[in-house]
């Protein structure tokens, strides 16, 4: 962005109102140039005798999307907090709120983060009804830093303000008007005119001159406020135990409630600066930018290629995955032909899609009208006659190689020449899938994660022969259906499943050494994973683990441990959540409960494994458990990066967060590993390899990085010719 495009302008009308406009496309973010410009224009307006009042607005139909997050990255790189300009006290409190001339915010589009904080520093807020208002700073590991923790509770009341900040929840200006955040609503055409008039009426004492920071009428009594804050603290401990910004935000709010708005603003500024350089903010800002870089694919998105329009997609297989994929396409207005082998299976698939859509309506993410529109775009099929005009086929049948090969031979013959031939396989080599076709340039992996209409990750798998056009088209479809596409190379398990295969194996190693199943799950959940590895196995079903066992054993050799724990569970009549009995007991509507009777299966497994030294359980700390599960995962990630299965390390971070639920506030798998340090990980794996065998043996990539002191995430100095993700 050229500095010339980033500017703050001021026009003084004949009515004596100075119109100050923020211009920094696309969302008028508060770049340091903008902040300096605002200070300059507010100072000028204060000096000028011909200015009676001020209206603050944003160019291009958007008020302001908040502080420029790129500045956080510079602070993280340098550790220099002084790069953060003083906005809260100098600009919002002193120049705007305490200024001698009234300010009115004219809002449309959005007023988020620092943008909403500027608006709350004004003496009134006029908005178009649909404008989005919110303070989402906690998603970046920080708190609102320009007075938002103090002014929002004073405008909307404590409970709503806490909800908006701690849950990063947006509201429309229409709701803002009902809550007291917005003073008046109007059409975009009337916005500036009405705001000017309002500002003049304040200046002429015809409307109240209200400084938000001085208000206490919506805070309730001190004891009421403290009760609300106490309940919020308990809730934050439950839902965000590892995220310090939640408690910090409540501390700062309480300071203002107890000692007044100005005291709160000063504490907020101090805590904000501390949090900006804290590990959680570094991790979350890394994830924010990493997610935005996954669609930058060398040789695909940096050239002259244009995406083709995908109007109609055929999905083969209406099971759990196929129906989920179809649902994701339908809600994004893409026509779907769902093919099944017989009428019963087809009817079941259509019912599952209808159930998925109804679930989205219940969650409030889809209207009834949109659900009906989505169902009208679905057509069932028992043969290929409707495939003659499809733009893409996604095969989602069971993981059987001959079946997939025969389907691909059929669709190559029947579908138009431009049609993309995609498979949702999670493990099988794409070259094997497309072996019996002559269209390998159109063959691509579209690996969705279950449930496919909800999980946000789409792994796009390319072979050496996949055309850049097919990749670009699938990236585009991924964006349309609101997925985060990550382009990866073709290998067993691709990026996510390959990197995380040791996650399950590591937990089984620990059980064989005498560690309690439920303790392992507890340690991993406390670290921040949505559930531990054994509960995950229950939920995913044992069929998947058994189906890929031989494939992984053949691909990974000595680093794949042959464990028969799942076989023993099945032999004991356990199928996990599917039949209500696995490591846990599952009752309808209840939480999973550890099943004590699983102990006999565990004992049988330990007897067969014979890994306990002297037949006695080993003694391990919680940290040992965590490391013995995750360090082998990091080790496999090193191999994935070494072989260039991913374009960049941050793609693996995003894939781990969105595909496996790795805690976002730890920055993703590789980012977290770099905070632990390659030398430490290498030394631990080396020690365990001596004790327990080659499963733990450090990869050459990890060894080299540990000895050279280069971070795991740093790009390799010499890119390899066989870079699988860069083909």
């Amino acid at each position: 962005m050229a500095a010339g495009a980033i500017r703050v302008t001021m026009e003084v009308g004949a009515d004596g109102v100075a119109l100050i406009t923020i211009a920094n496309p696309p969302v008028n973010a508060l770049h340091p140039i903008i902040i300096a410009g605002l200070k300059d224009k507010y100072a000028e307006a204060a000096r000028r005798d011909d200015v009676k009042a001020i209206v603050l607005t944003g160019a291009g139909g958007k008020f302001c999307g908040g502080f420029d997050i790129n500045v956080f990255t510079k602070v993280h790189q340098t550790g220099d907090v002084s790069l953060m300009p003083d906005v809260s006290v100098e600009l919002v409190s002193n120049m705007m709120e305490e200024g001698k001339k009234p300010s009115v915010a004219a809002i449309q589009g959005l007023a988020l983060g620092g943008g909403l904080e500027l608006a709350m520093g004004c003496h009134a807020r006029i908005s178009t009804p649909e404008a989005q208002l919110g303070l989402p700073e906690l998603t970046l590991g920080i708190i609102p830093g320009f007075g938002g923790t103090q002014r929002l509770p004073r405008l909307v009341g404590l409970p709503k303000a806490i909800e908006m900040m701690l849950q990063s929840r947006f509201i429309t200006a229409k709701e803002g008007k009902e809550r007291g955040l917005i003073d008046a609503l109007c059409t975009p055409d009337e916005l500036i005119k009405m705001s000017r008039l309002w500002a003049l009426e304040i200046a002429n004492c015809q409307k109240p001159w209200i400084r938000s920071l001085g208000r206490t009428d919506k805070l309730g009594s001190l004891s009421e406020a403290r009760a609300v804050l106490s309940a919020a603290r308990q809730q934050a401990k439950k839902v965000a135990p590892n995220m310090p910004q939640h408690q910090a935000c409540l501390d700062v709010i309480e300071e203002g409630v107890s000692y007044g708005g100005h005291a709160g603003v000063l504490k907020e500024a101090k805590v904000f600066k501390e949090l900006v350089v804290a590990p959680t903010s570094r991790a979350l800002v890394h994830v924010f930018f990493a997610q935005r870089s996954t669609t930058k694919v060398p040789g695909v998105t940096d050239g002259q290629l244009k995406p083709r329009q995908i109007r109609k997609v055929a999905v083969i297989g209406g099971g759990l995955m196929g129906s989920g994929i179809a649902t994701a396409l339908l809600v994004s207005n893409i026509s779907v032909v769902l093919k099944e082998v017989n009428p019963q299976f087809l009817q079941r698939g259509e019912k599952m899609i209808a159930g998925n859509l109804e679930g989205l309506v219940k969650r409030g993410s889809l209207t009834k009208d949109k659900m009906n529109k989505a169902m009208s775009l679905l057509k069932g099929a028992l043969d290929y006659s409707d495939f003659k005009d499809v733009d893409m086929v996604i095969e989602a049948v069971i993981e059987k190689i001959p079946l997939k090969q025969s389907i691909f031979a059929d669709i190559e013959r029947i579908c138009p020449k431009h049609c993309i031939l995609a498979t949702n396989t999670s493990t099988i080599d794409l070259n094997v899938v497309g072996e019996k076709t002559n269209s390998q340039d159109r063959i691509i992996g579209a690996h969705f994660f279950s449930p496919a209409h909800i999980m946000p990750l789409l792994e796009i798998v390319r072979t050496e022969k996949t055309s850049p056009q097919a990749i670009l088209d699938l990236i585009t479809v991924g964006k349309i259906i609101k997925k985060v596409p990550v382009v990866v190379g073709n290998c067993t398990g691709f990026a996510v499943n390959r990197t995380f295969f040791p996650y399950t194996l590591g937990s089984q190693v620990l059980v064989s050494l005498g560690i309690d199943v439920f303790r392992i799950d507890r340690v991993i959940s406390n670290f921040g994973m949505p559930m531990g590895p054994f509960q995950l196995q229950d939920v995913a079903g044992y069929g998947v683990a058994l189906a890929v066992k031989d494939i992984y054993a053949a691909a990974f050799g000595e680093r794949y441990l042959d464990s028969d724990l799942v076989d023993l569970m099945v032999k004991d009549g356990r199928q996990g959540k599917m039949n209500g009995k696995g490591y846990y007991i599952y009752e309808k509507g209840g939480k999973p409960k550890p099943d004590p009777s699983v102990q006999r299966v565990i004992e049988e497994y330990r007897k067969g494994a014979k890994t306990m030294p002297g037949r006695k359980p080993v003694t391990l700390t919680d940290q040992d458990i965590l490391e013995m599960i995750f360090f082998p995962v990091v080790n496999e990630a090193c191999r994935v990066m070494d072989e260039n299965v991913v374009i960049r390390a941050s793609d693996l971070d995003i894939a781990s967060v969105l595909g496996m639920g790795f805690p976002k506030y730890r920055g993703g798998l590789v980012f977290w590993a770099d905070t632990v340090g390659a030398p430490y990980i290498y030394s631990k794996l080396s020690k365990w390899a001596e004790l327990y065998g080659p499963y733990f043996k450090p990869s050459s990539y990890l060894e080299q990085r540990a000895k050279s002191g280069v971070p795991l995430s740093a790009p390799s100095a010499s890119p390899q010719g066989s870079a699988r993700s860069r083909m």
Side-chain angles (χ1 to χ4, degrees), residues 139-155:
T139 59
L140 293 174
I142 54 169
I143 60 170
F146 304 161
T149 62
Q150 305 307 306
R151 292 186 180 87
L152 190 62
R154 286 165 167 75
L155 289 166

Side-chain angles (χ1 to χ4, degrees), residues 180-255:
L181 181 55
I182 297 297
D183 294 280
L185 299 170
C186 66
T187 64
D189 294 343
E190 295 173 319
L191 181 63
I192 299 301
K193 185 182 168 188
M194 187 172 178
S195 301
R196 296 181 89 104
L197 196 59
W198 201 288
L200 282 173
E201 286 180 332
I202 296 173
N204 296 330
C205 304
Q206 292 166 304
K207 274 198 164 63
W209 189 319
I210 299 165
R211 296 176 176 89
S212 308
L213 203 58
R215 285 181 61 178
T216 55
D217 53 299
K218 288 204 172 178
L219 293 179
S221 70
L222 195 54
S223 62
E224 286 168 341
R226 284 190 170 144
V228 170
L229 285 160
S230 174
R233 282 186 200 287
Q234 294 309 312
Q235 181 65 8
K237 270 181 197 161
K238 266 191 222 162
V239 298
N242 298 321
M243 292 194 264
Q245 70 271 31
H246 289 251
Q247 297 296 340
C249 187
L250 295 167
D251 288 346
V252 168
I253 294 169
E254 185 158 6
E255 179 83 4

Side-chain angles (χ1 to χ4, degrees), residues 314-454:
V315 177
I316 301 175
L320 183 67
M321 287 308 297
S323 60
I325 293 165
T327 306
L329 294 161
L330 292 165
V331 295
S332 301
N333 293 318
I334 296 172
S335 297
V336 173
V337 176
L338 181 72
K339 183 190 176 297
E340 259 298 358
V341 291
N342 62 45
Q344 292 78 19
F345 282 7
L346 182 59
Q347 195 178 12
R348 186 193 65 179
E350 288 171 339
K351 264 191 178 167
M352 284 169 86
I353 291 167
N356 290 342
L357 292 168
E358 280 162 18
L360 292 172
V361 171
K362 275 182 194 157
R363 288 170 61 172
S365 51
L366 196 69
T367 63
K368 273 263 170 71
D369 284 351
K370 283 188 177 166
M371 177 182 94
N372 295 333
K373 168 86 196 299
M375 280 308 286
S376 74
L377 295 171
L378 174 67
K379 186 175 185 189
L382 296 171
D383 56 34
Y384 291 117
S385 54
D386 285 305
F387 281 45
K388 289 188 174 70
D389 62 344
V390 296
D391 303 304
M392 182 186 291
V393 177
I394 301 173
E395 166 274 306
V397 301
I398 52 173
E399 298 282 67
K400 291 202 172 158
I401 290 170
L403 175 61
K404 287 181 189 283
Q405 288 179 334
S406 118
I407 287 170
F408 271 77
D410 288 344
I411 59 179
E412 181 192 33
R413 198 175 62 252
I414 290 152
C415 297
K417 294 287 176 220
H418 73 274
C419 177
I420 295 165
L421 312 176
T423 173
N424 178 55
T425 181
S426 58
T427 44
I428 301 168
D429 186 319
L430 264 62
N431 290 321
V432 175
V433 172
E435 205 172 80
K436 299 198 159 90
T437 73
N438 297 310
S439 305
Q440 269 131 358
D441 59 322
R442 294 191 277 148
I443 290 177
I444 195 164
H447 180 215
F448 290 79
F449 291 74
S450 184
H453 60 297
I454 291 169

Side-chain angles (χ1 to χ4, degrees), residues 654-708:
I654 288 301
S656 70
V657 168
L658 300 181
M660 281 302 296
F662 192 87
K664 193 176 183 179
Y665 54 82
R666 298 192 191 277
L669 181 70
V670 186
F671 183 93
W672 170 74
D674 272 336
T675 65
V676 174
Y680 180 76
I681 297 170
Y682 173 73
S683 70
K684 284 289 193 157
L685 285 168
S686 301
K687 178 183 141 191
W688 298 328
E690 280 178 34
L691 286 170
Y692 308 117
Y695 166 74
F696 289 106
K697 186 184 171 189
S699 63
S700 55
Y701 181 98
L702 176 60
E703 182 177 6
Q704 180 262 319
R705 294 294 168 110
K707 288 177 178 173
S708 65

Side-chain angles (χ1 to χ4, degrees), residues 426-723:
S426 58
T427 44
I428 301 168
D429 186 319
L430 264 62
N431 290 321
V432 175
V433 172
E435 205 172 80
K436 299 198 159 90
T437 73
N438 297 310
S439 305
Q440 269 131 358
D441 59 322
R442 294 191 277 148
I443 290 177
I444 195 164
H447 180 215
F448 290 79
F449 291 74
S450 184
H453 60 297
I454 291 169
M455 288 291 275
L457 183 66
L458 171 60
E459 237 181 346
I460 296 176
V461 189
R462 58 168 159 190
T463 71
E464 290 177 23
K465 292 175 182 167
T466 309
S467 72
Q469 185 68 58
I471 298 161
L472 181 65
D473 291 346
L474 191 47
I475 289 172
T476 308
V477 170
K479 287 180 181 172
I480 290 167
I481 64 174
K482 297 181 174 61
K483 302 294 177 198
V484 178
V486 175
V487 176
V488 302
N490 179 34
C491 63
T492 302
F494 315 131
V496 177
N497 286 346
R498 175 174 166 186
T499 300
F500 275 85
F501 86 81
Y503 181 66
T504 306
L505 288 185
S507 60
Q508 293 179 6
V509 170
L510 288 168
V511 171
S512 75
L513 292 170
I515 307 299
D516 176 58
V517 162
F518 306 112
R519 182 184 170 203
I520 293 167
D521 271 6
R522 231 176 8 256
V523 168
I524 299 303
S525 297
N526 290 343
F527 175 73
M529 295 294 283
M531 61 187 77
F534 293 101
Q535 193 186 337
L536 179 65
Q537 243 178 61
D538 275 357
V539 170
Y542 303 156
V544 178
L546 294 171
V548 301
K549 198 174 171 179
D550 293 342
I551 298 168
Y552 282 180
F556 303 134
E558 65 176 11
R559 65 183 196 274
Y560 187 82
L561 284 172
D562 191 17
S563 162
D564 64 349
L565 179 55
V566 177
D567 304 80
L568 292 170
M569 293 288 284
V570 172
K571 191 176 141 196
D572 196 53
R574 297 169 188 270
Q575 290 172 28
K577 195 177 178 183
M578 196 187 291
N579 74 343
K581 200 173 183 190
Y583 300 99
Y584 295 81
I585 295 166
Y586 298 85
E587 287 163 353
K588 206 171 181 183
K591 284 185 176 178
K593 290 177 194 150
D595 183 0
S597 72
V598 81
Q599 210 51 42
R600 67 172 182 271
V601 183
I602 303 287
E603 289 307 328
E604 191 183 343
Y605 168 63
R606 283 176 183 151
K607 271 180 201 160
K610 295 177 184 159
T611 43
M612 278 197 279
R615 294 188 184 177
K616 286 184 180 170
V618 297
T619 305
L620 296 174
T621 65
D622 286 357
Q623 188 175 332
D624 292 331
I625 291 171
L626 183 73
E627 291 174 356
M628 286 180 86
I629 287 178
F630 276 114
F631 287 3
V633 176
V634 171
N635 201 22
E636 196 60 36
C638 288
R639 293 185 181 98
V640 163
M641 291 186 289
D642 195 24
E643 294 168 27
N644 287 305
V645 173
V646 288
I647 295 166
R648 51 187 81 82
S650 63
D651 284 359
L652 205 45
D653 286 330
I654 288 301
S656 70
V657 168
L658 300 181
M660 281 302 296
F662 192 87
K664 193 176 183 179
Y665 54 82
R666 298 192 191 277
L669 181 70
V670 186
F671 183 93
W672 170 74
D674 272 336
T675 65
V676 174
Y680 180 76
I681 297 170
Y682 173 73
S683 70
K684 284 289 193 157
L685 285 168
S686 301
K687 178 183 141 191
W688 298 328
E690 280 178 34
L691 286 170
Y692 308 117
Y695 166 74
F696 289 106
K697 186 184 171 189
S699 63
S700 55
Y701 181 98
L702 176 60
E703 182 177 6
Q704 180 262 319
R705 294 294 168 110
K707 288 177 178 173
S708 65
V710 176
L712 296 174
S713 57
S716 294
S718 53
Q720 296 173 13
S722 63

Side-chain angles (χ1 to χ4, degrees), residues 130-193:
E130 301 311 314
Q132 294 287 304
L133 315 173
L135 295 177
E137 285 87 347
L138 272 77
T139 59
L140 293 174
I142 54 169
I143 60 170
F146 304 161
T149 62
Q150 305 307 306
R151 292 186 180 87
L152 190 62
R154 286 165 167 75
L155 289 166
V156 302
L158 208 45
K160 186 66 185 176
I162 288 171
E163 177 199 308
M164 285 176 71
M165 285 186 271
L166 265 62
Q167 296 177 30
S168 296
R169 185 162 289 174
F170 296 173
I171 61 170
T172 61
K174 187 168 179 282
E175 186 183 341
K177 169 76 169 68
E178 290 159 14
R179 300 267 178 194
L181 181 55
I182 297 297
D183 294 280
L185 299 170
C186 66
T187 64
D189 294 343
E190 295 173 319
L191 181 63
I192 299 301
K193 185 182 168 188

